Amino acid sequence: MEEYEIIIGLEVHVELLTDSKMFCGCSTKFGAPPNSHICPVCAGFPGVLPVINRKAVELALKTATAFNCKISPFSRFARKHYFYPDLPKNYQISQYEEPLAIEGVLLVDNRNIRIRRIHLEEDAGKLIHPEDSRSFSLVDLNRSGVPLIEIVTEPDVRSASEAEKFLAILKRILEYLEVSDCNMEEGSLRCDANISVRRYGDTNFGVKTEIKNMNSFRAVRKALEYEARRQIACLKEGRTLRQETRLWNENLQITEEMRRKEEAQDYRYFPEPDLPPLIFDNKIIEEINLKVGELPFQRKGRFIKEYNLSDYDAEVLTSKKDIADYFESCVEKGGKPKIVANWIMGDLTALLKAKKKDIGHSPVSPEYLVQIISMIEDGKITGVVAKMVLQECFNTGISPEKIVSERDLLQIEDGETINNIVEETITENADAVQDYKNGKEQALSFLIGQIMRKTKGKANPAVVRNKLQEYLNKKR
Amino acid sequence: MEKNNLIKKEDVEYLANLARISLTEDEKEDLVKELGKIIEYVSQLSKVETKVTTGDISITNVFREDKVKNSTNTEEMISGAPDKEDNFFKVPRII
Ligand SMILES: [Zn+2]
């Protein structure tokens, strides 16, 4: 097998994280009832006019920048014509001769994988083939017109596992920039591959096949491994390969020939007359560069070095650009990196998740989070109170310092006050005291809990523990 | 018989196939002539000296903001379809 070199090129389609579709205001939300997110524009009614979604273009430009592409000073949409029931206009608005960006490169384990082009286009609808019917199919156009970017590599990938790695890196970048959620199950990331093999030393490419229908990164690797073996076996037997499209069969773990079309595809591309071209000058490109900034891998490495974070913490904090920005803003304002990281990854993330908000729109600003952290460090509030304050601040947007002063939440450290409460608690919980004396250590935690409840979490837990133990041992 | 060879019968058949229309032999003959004339007429344009090669670019970068608007009512949207079922468009099976 080693005498053959494997040549792979990838074609990745990614659905962009916009709220509305590429050319109309219909929602892109996944899983809506059939045909509930459609209008005359995305359903291809005659006489309608598409208008380009600004955010979709911005996300595509960010991607192009992250993949080191040249952004075309002039680009334009084109109509790609074909007949299929999921394509209501009988043409797809795509880009052809003048794509948004060209000639990029992505580093995969110290090897450069060149990006041939990145272009914008619209998604097609979805066809459903009812099990019980051989005679008809059903069409849902909710996905029709959802913005996509297509990323095409040069045939630079040299193994199935390298293809898998390329996709993992691509996914990490697109998630970090919040270009796409890259959810393969929901079809927001789809990958096709071209693969051929040749003897080492040959300069010409062998006959390639196109592989489709791979529904996970693992499936991409498995399909390409299988296909390389199949092609090599074929050549070794002296047979010739046919240029064709093959489908990955997940159940059988093989690629199968797709029914061939009688004629070559003729898409009759021409410039989309309903959409003015896109022109990007250096100023716009510079702005995008600034917005993209450092990529997740570099940033993660820097977080580990600069802030002394664990690999895990740095990975989570650089999963999205907004999270990383929020973290660094907290550190800039004086928060200790590890403590800030814990608050972000723990309580804050939980609150954001529950309210379905992203950190960029968090009511608890970096400044407020740092206020809370400083108040704990200065002994003004307990950890228990801090959690309450965070929640209150999250719900109301009121500053933590104000919440603490207005609601009288300052920590109780005063020995005499705590003494009184301890005494009171012991009198009220004679059973627990007896349990403790009989050697039940848990009784101590129970009593501490009672005291914290009485003081609404404000008592300094260390002082409480000391006083309580002192008291109980004295009485023993 | 064909005065010009800008369009041949095979071209007409190829185009008809792409457009999913069927033509009688007479119609093909007619179209060979008519399309030939149109091509000949349009080809005069290539003799005109011009700097602009890719159409009007006086308007560029026209965008809308990424705001969701109410979609059209599903029933209304599928009311004009030749066939429907539940809230789907219904088409002849293709695979
Ligand atoms: Zn629409």
Side-chain angles (χ1 to χ4, degrees):
Chain A
M1 204 158 164
E2 281 105 38
E3 66 215 79
Y4 286 92
E5 186 181 25
I6 298 164
I7 313 280
I8 297 167
L10 299 171
E11 211 181 282
V12 187
H13 286 91
V14 182
E15 274 185 10
L16 301 175
L17 268 179
T18 56
D19 294 331
S20 66
K21 292 188 179 181
M22 186 71 217
F23 301 117
C24 65
C26 289
S27 166
T28 56
K29 209 167 191 143
F30 183 80
N35 293 313
S36 57
H37 290 166
I38 63 173
C39 73
V41 174
C42 56
F45 284 20
V48 295
L49 277 177
V51 188
I52 303 168
N53 184 332
R54 182 193 300 276
K55 172 109 183 266
V57 175
E58 212 176 279
L59 294 177
L61 288 173
K62 278 186 180 175
T63 309
T65 303
F67 289 3
N68 306 292
C69 287
K70 287 183 194 152
I71 290 168
S72 314
F74 179 95
S75 57
R76 175 154 52 185
F77 288 93
R79 291 186 180 180
K80 177 182 183 178
H81 297 83
Y82 62 94
F83 287 103
Y84 209 68
D86 64 5
L87 188 74
K89 294 191 294 295
N90 295 334
Y91 61 83
Q92 178 195 27
I93 303 181
S94 179
Q95 297 190 290
Y96 186 51
E97 283 172 322
E98 293 140 319
L100 189 96
I102 55 166
E103 292 173 17
V105 65
L106 192 68
L107 195 65
V108 178
D109 280 358
N110 290 319
R111 272 187 32 121
N112 279 332
I113 308 297
R114 287 171 299 155
I115 309 289
R116 181 179 294 167
R117 58 187 276 150
I118 295 180
H119 75 241
L120 271 163
E121 60 186 30
E122 56 175 340
D123 211 342
K126 205 171 80 185
L127 287 176
I128 292 148
H129 313 291
E131 294 275 328
D132 56 345
S133 164
R134 299 269 105 221
S135 64
F136 64 88
S137 301
L138 300 172
V139 189
D140 175 7
L141 295 179
N142 281 347
R143 209 181 59 187
S144 171
V146 167
L148 290 179
I149 44 171
E150 181 177 316
I151 302 168
V152 185
T153 76
E154 295 291 346
D156 286 351
V157 178
R158 286 293 174 272
S159 70
S161 60
E162 191 172 54
E164 193 183 17
K165 269 182 207 152
F166 173 90
L167 291 172
I169 291 172
L170 175 142
K171 178 172 187 271
R172 178 86 153 84
I173 294 174
L174 297 184
E175 284 176 346
Y176 172 77
L177 294 173
E178 291 183 79
V179 164
S180 172
D181 59 20
C182 296
N183 187 333
M184 268 186 122
E185 283 92 65
E186 292 181 2
S188 56
L189 190 154
R190 311 194 280 271
C191 176
D192 300 333
N194 284 300
I195 175 169
S196 63
V197 299
R198 67 180 174 196
R199 282 181 186 281
Y200 275 104
D202 279 2
T203 44
N204 292 331
F205 290 127
V207 175
K208 69 177 174 188
T209 56
E210 189 183 4
I211 315 295
K212 289 176 179 283
N213 199 38
M214 301 171 288
N215 295 321
S216 67
F217 289 180
R218 190 173 167 274
V220 170
R221 178 166 56 80
K222 288 276 173 195
L224 291 173
E225 278 168 358
Y226 173 88
E227 181 62 13
R229 276 201 306 275
R230 186 191 72 85
Q231 290 188 7
I232 291 166
C234 216
L235 294 176
K236 279 189 169 169
E237 284 168 24
R239 288 185 285 142
T240 49
L241 291 162
R242 207 173 25 216
Q243 183 164 344
E244 62 191 2
T245 301
R246 299 178 69 87
L247 299 180
W248 173 241
N249 185 323
E250 184 73 39
N251 292 327
L252 301 178
Q253 298 277 300
I254 57 168
T255 63
E256 296 169 315
E257 189 186 343
M258 199 168 97
R259 203 184 43 172
R260 263 174 303 158
K261 296 160 197 135
E262 327 73 64
E263 77 224 34
Q265 287 277 32
D266 180 349
Y267 293 125
R268 290 152 292 151
Y269 283 100
F270 65 74
E272 169 57 81
D274 288 341
L275 294 170
L278 302 173
I279 289 186
F280 301 116
D281 57 19
N282 287 336
K283 195 175 143 258
I284 297 177
I285 294 169
E286 202 38 56
E287 274 171 28
I288 293 286
N289 262 324
L290 282 176
K291 274 192 194 167
V292 171
E294 204 176 17
L295 290 179
F297 310 99
Q298 288 99 314
R299 204 163 188 188
K300 179 186 165 186
R302 187 166 62 75
F303 277 17
I304 292 172
K305 260 188 29 214
E306 213 172 301
Y307 304 125
N308 215 2
L309 295 177
S310 68
D311 191 273
Y312 176 81
D313 289 356
E315 177 83 18
V316 175
L317 291 173
T318 56
S319 60
K320 285 189 174 145
K321 185 172 186 292
D322 279 357
I323 301 178
D325 288 347
Y326 187 98
F327 168 79
E328 288 212 277
S329 173
C330 290
V331 172
E332 238 168 63
K333 292 180 168 54
K336 289 210 179 81
K338 177 61 190 164
I339 292 168
V340 170
N342 287 345
W343 277 96
I344 292 176
M345 290 159 60
D347 291 71
L348 185 60
T349 299
L351 288 169
L352 291 165
K353 251 194 198 141
K355 285 276 153 68
K356 291 201 169 74
K357 276 193 167 143
D358 38 69
I359 201 161
H361 299 99
S362 167
V364 181
S365 61
E367 194 188 338
Y368 284 176
L369 185 62
V370 173
Q371 269 185 21
I372 296 176
I373 293 171
S374 314
M375 284 191 286
I376 306 173
E377 276 174 4
D378 300 346
K380 284 190 185 150
I381 56 173
T382 62
V384 179
V385 168
K387 281 172 192 276
M388 276 162 40
V389 173
L390 180 77
Q391 190 154 13
E392 182 78 17
C393 173
F394 189 92
N395 292 335
T396 61
I398 299 171
S399 92
E401 280 171 0
K402 202 169 170 198
I403 293 171
V404 169
S405 70
E406 280 186 356
R407 297 197 30 199
D408 183 28
L409 293 172
L410 286 178
Q411 178 161 265
I412 306 169
E413 283 182 295
D414 166 51
E416 209 174 305
T417 314
I418 291 183
N419 262 341
N420 291 340
I421 300 167
V422 167
E423 235 173 287
E424 200 181 300
T425 309
I426 282 182
T427 331
E428 282 167 13
N429 295 280
D431 289 353
V433 174
Q434 196 53 50
D435 284 349
Y436 180 77
K437 286 181 178 165
N438 293 341
K440 267 197 180 172
E441 285 293 325
Q442 308 98 287
L444 186 67
S445 315
F446 172 78
L447 289 168
I448 292 174
Q450 292 301 309
I451 293 167
M452 292 314 272
R453 191 186 287 177
K454 267 183 194 293
T455 59
K456 297 197 178 74
K458 293 189 292 185
N460 181 322
V463 179
V464 168
R465 178 176 276 270
N466 278 339
K467 292 277 177 205
L468 194 58
Q469 268 173 330
E470 217 174 84
Y471 219 90
L472 289 170
N473 293 336
K474 198 164 61 192
K475 279 202 154 182
R476 217 200 281 243
Chain B
M1 187 176 85
E2 289 163 34
K3 268 187 283 173
N4 58 68
N5 47 14
L6 287 171
I7 286 274
K8 299 192 197 67
K9 193 176 153 195
E10 299 89 82
D11 297 323
V12 170
E13 285 168 346
Y14 178 70
L15 289 171
N17 181 40
L18 283 176
R20 304 290 190 268
I21 52 175
S22 60
L23 298 171
T24 64
E25 284 304 308
D26 284 352
E27 284 168 331
K28 286 179 198 166
E29 292 296 331
D30 286 347
L31 279 166
V32 166
K33 286 180 212 151
E34 284 170 24
L35 288 177
K37 275 186 201 155
I38 292 169
I39 296 279
E40 196 186 321
Y41 179 65
V42 172
S43 66
Q44 292 180 29
L45 283 175
S46 62
K47 291 176 195 134
V48 179
E49 286 279 336
T50 172
K51 274 186 221 154
V52 181
T53 54
T54 53
D56 182 19
I57 53 163
S58 55
I59 301 169
T60 59
N61 297 11
V62 178
F63 300 119
R64 45 171 268 275
E65 297 310 313
D66 182 28
K67 289 268 150 54
V68 175
K69 281 201 209 149
N70 282 340
S71 293
T72 312
N73 176 278
T74 304
E75 265 158 54
E76 205 182 322
M77 283 303 297
I78 62 173
S79 63
D83 204 357
K84 54 205 169 232
E85 186 167 299
D86 300 327
N87 281 327
F88 291 99
F89 298 94
K90 194 170 168 183
V91 295
R93 185 133 182 155
I94 38 84
I95 57 163

